[in-house]
Amino acid sequence: MLKVFIACPYTQSDKSICHEQFEVATQLASNVIASNAAAFSPVTHGHPIILQHSDSSISWKKLRKQSLSFHNWADALLVVDLPSASECAVIQEDIALFREAEKPVRFIDPSHIQNQLETLLNEFKRSKSSRL
C-alpha cells in the first residue's frame, strides 16, 4: 500500500485560517485514503490534540518530533500548495528530508485536489515500484 505524508501550512495566530488549513489537510488525507492509499497529516492529527490541551502541555514541538517518525514510514510527500507553504520552515524541512531520502515530493493545489490527486498517486506508486 502506498503511504503518503501530507504537509500543510498551519498558522496558529489566526484561528479562522488555522481551522481552514486543518479542513484542507483533512480533506486531502480523506481523499488519499479513499483512493486506497495510507495517509498521515500532522495538521489533521495535531489540530484536535492541541485544542484538547489548551494548557499547553502538548506543544507543536512535541508533535513535530512525533511527525518526523512518519518520514521513514512514508513513500512520498504531498505538499498542500498554499502561499504560506514556501515560508513555512517545517514544510521546507520536510521537503529537504524527503528529497535527501530520494522520495518523491509533489505539490497539490487545494482548489484542484480531485483533478490532480489520482495522477499524483499513480506517479508515487510508479516511483515506489522503481525503488524496490
Side-chain angles (χ1 to χ4, degrees), residues 3 5 69-77 94-106 124 127-128 131:
K3 299 173 294 239
F5 188 103
S69 69
F70 282 89
H71 282 213
N72 289 332
W73 167 85
D75 299 307
L77 174 64
D94 289 336
I95 291 168
L97 291 169
F98 271 81
R99 287 185 173 153
E100 184 179 302
E102 298 182 354
K103 294 180 180 183
V105 174
R106 299 294 180 271
F124 288 159
S127 176
K128 180 181 176 181
R131 289 192 317 265

Side-chain angles (χ1 to χ4, degrees), residues 52-98:
Q52 288 296 313
H53 288 271
S54 58
D55 63 356
S56 299
S57 62
I58 295 184
S59 66
W60 277 106
K61 189 174 182 177
K62 284 183 182 178
L63 290 173
R64 178 63 178 162
K65 286 181 186 178
Q66 182 176 323
S67 71
L68 284 169
S69 69
F70 282 89
H71 282 213
N72 289 332
W73 167 85
D75 299 307
L77 174 64
L78 192 52
V79 179
V80 179
D81 197 9
L82 293 170
S84 54
S86 63
E87 302 162 9
C88 178
V90 169
I91 291 178
Q92 295 310 307
E93 180 183 21
D94 289 336
I95 291 168
L97 291 169
F98 271 81

Side-chain angles (χ1 to χ4, degrees), residues 11-40:
T11 305
Q12 293 178 288
S13 58
D14 184 328
K15 298 301 179 198
S16 65
I17 292 174
C18 177
H19 187 73
E20 288 173 20
Q21 292 165 328
F22 166 75
E23 291 290 334
V24 168
T26 303
Q27 181 62 55
L28 179 54
S30 174
N31 290 356
V32 168
I33 293 166
S35 298
N36 296 317
F40 175 74

